[in-house]
Structures are given as structure tokens and as C-alpha cells.
């Protein structure tokens, strides 16, 4: 194993991982919203990055092959995930009727207006682990490409993909603060929650229909 092969495998993993994760989706929409609100960003980003790392590692270890041999599990997960996404989308649609305004980047002493840490973590865990596409893309697809790199290099590919995940979620979560001025207006939250509602319901319906 030489250095060019290692850098090529790691670079390919980084690019492939980013290509799969940088898209409008349920998980990214939630991270963006938490980042704009300034709520539990570090914890939410950590859950996303660690979850991706575990899923990528599972794919490199060959779990993707087992997943392909058990399609029934993916079907069950698809309907559970679809129900959750549609429910979350309806909740976002309801928020359009009661828009908020981000008047300060920091909460008051009582923490009023902030969602609880446990609630935020439970939501991001559900959005991550109840999404069947994460198993098909992150575990099956990335795992297959990783193992195609050859002995030893598959883990360099996996490391590159994990790095891409960390870079993306940190940029999305912590970079969202640049939008806080825009979201000081209630109308801006209507736009964001409207987009989230459409995205979540659309993804949920798509999952239920098998697309």
C-alpha cells in the first residue's frame, strides 16, 4: 500500500460521502433549523456525525451485504420512517400559523422558547436512524464502493467519507448562525417551516410509495 493509493481512496471517500449527504433532506433541514435557532447545535451535530461514522463503518465491515439479503427489514423501516416524516412535516406546517422571530442569538435566563435537549436529540436520532435511505446509501452503497478499493484501502475510503460527514454537519449547524439576521422576521420562519413541511411530507410520501 503506497501513499498515492491511500490519498486516492481517502479523497474518493470524501467526495462520495459529500455527494450523498449534501442534499435537501429531513436530517439536514432539522440541523439547519437548530443552527438558526442556536439550540443544542454541538449535540445535534455530534449525533449526526457519530451516526454517520457508525453507519459507514458498518458498510465497510460488510453489513451492506446482510442488509441486501434482508429486504423485509428495509420495507418495515420504510413505512415507519414515512409515518415519522409526514408527522414531522405536519408539525412544521402548523408552525406556519404561529411563526416566531429570532430576536436574540441567546436564550433568556429561564431558557424560555428553547426546545429541550432530550427532545432535540430524540428527533435527530429518529430522522437519522428511521430513514431507510441512510442504510441503502450510507451502508450499502458506500460500503460496496469502500470494499471495492481493495484490502486495507477500504478503511481509508471510510475515513474520507466520515471526514466529509463531519465537515458538512459542522458547516451546516454552526454556519447557520449567519442567517440569524434574516430569521429575525416571523415571515422568514414561515418560509423555512413551509419548506421543511413540503420536504418532510414529500419524503414521507415518497418512502411510503417506495420511491
Amino acid at each position: 500500500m503506497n501513499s498515492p493509493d491511500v490519498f486516492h481512496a481517502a479523497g474518493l471517500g470524501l467526495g462520495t460521502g459529500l455527494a450523498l449527504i449534501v442534499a435537501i433532506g429531513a436530517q439536514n433541514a432539522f440541523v439547519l433549523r437548530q443552527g438558526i435557532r442556536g439550540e443544542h447545535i454541538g449535540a445535534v451535530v455530534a449525533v449526526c456525525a457519530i451516526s454517520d461514522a457508525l453507519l459507514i463503518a458498518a458498510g465497510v465491515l460488510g453489513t451492506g451485504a446482510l442488509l441486501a439479503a434482508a429486504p423485509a427489514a428495509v420495507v418495515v423501516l420504510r413505512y415507519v420512517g414515512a409515518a415519522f416524516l409526514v408527522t414531522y412535516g405536519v408539525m412544521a406546517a402548523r408552525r406556519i400559523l404561529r411563526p416566531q422571530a429570532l430576536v436574540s442569538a441567546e436564550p433568556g435566563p429561564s431558557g424560555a422558547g428553547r426546545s429541550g435537549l432530550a427532545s432535540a436529540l430524540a428527533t435527530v436520532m429518529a430522522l437519522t436512524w428511521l430513514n431507510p435511505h441512510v442504510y441503502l446509501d450510507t451502508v450499502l452503497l458506500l460500503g460496496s464502493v469502500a470494499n471495492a478499493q481493495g484490502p486495507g484501502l477500504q478503511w481509508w475510503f471510510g475515513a474520507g467519507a466520515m471526514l466529509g460527514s463531519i465537515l458538512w454537519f459542522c458547516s451546516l449547524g454552526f454556519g447557520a448562525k449567519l442567517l440569524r439576521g434574516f430569521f429575525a422576521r416571523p415571515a422568514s420562519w414561515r418560509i423555512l417551516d413551509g419548506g421543511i413541511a413540503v420536504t418532510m411530507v414529500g419524503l414521507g410520501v415518497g418512502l411510503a410509495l417506495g420511491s
Side-chain angles (χ1 to χ4, degrees), residues 133-173:
H133 287 301
V134 78
Y135 298 97
L136 298 176
D137 294 342
T138 307
V139 179
L140 186 56
L141 179 58
L142 277 181
S144 300
V145 178
N147 285 291
Q149 304 307 305
L153 291 175
Q154 72 269 35
W155 285 109
W156 286 104
F157 178 95
M162 292 176 191
L163 176 60
S165 176
I166 294 171
L167 292 175
W168 169 249
F169 285 118
C170 285
S171 299
L172 185 64

Side-chain angles (χ1 to χ4, degrees), residues 64-92:
L66 296 176
L67 187 64
V74 178
V75 173
V76 172
L77 194 65
R78 187 177 78 204
Y79 287 113
V80 174
F84 179 82
L85 289 174
V86 170
T87 300
Y88 192 88
V90 171
M91 291 170 60

Side-chain angles (χ1 to χ4, degrees), residues 1-96:
M1 187 188 307
N2 52 52
S3 296
D5 290 336
V6 168
F7 285 117
H8 177 267
L12 182 62
L14 175 64
T16 306
L18 285 173
L20 290 175
I21 198 173
V22 179
I24 297 175
Q27 185 190 53
N28 286 340
F30 182 75
V31 174
L32 177 63
R33 193 173 194 280
Q34 291 297 113
I36 292 171
R37 287 178 58 86
E39 292 183 358
H40 318 300
I41 307 172
V44 169
V45 167
V47 167
C48 291
I50 292 172
S51 295
D52 257 19
L54 292 174
L55 290 163
I56 292 168
V60 175
L61 287 170
T63 304
L66 296 176
L67 187 64
V74 178
V75 173
V76 172
L77 194 65
R78 187 177 78 204
Y79 287 113
V80 174
F84 179 82
L85 289 174
V86 170
T87 300
Y88 192 88
V90 171
M91 291 170 60
R94 289 180 60 187
R95 287 197 299 266
I96 298 175

Side-chain angles (χ1 to χ4, degrees), residues 66-130:
L66 296 176
L67 187 64
V74 178
V75 173
V76 172
L77 194 65
R78 187 177 78 204
Y79 287 113
V80 174
F84 179 82
L85 289 174
V86 170
T87 300
Y88 192 88
V90 171
M91 291 170 60
R94 289 180 60 187
R95 287 197 299 266
I96 298 175
L97 302 176
R98 299 187 301 275
Q100 56 197 312
L102 192 64
V103 296
S104 174
E106 296 295 333
S110 64
R114 291 177 63 94
S115 62
L117 175 61
S119 175
L121 294 183
T123 300
V124 75
M125 287 286 286
L127 290 173
T128 301
W129 293 92
L130 290 181

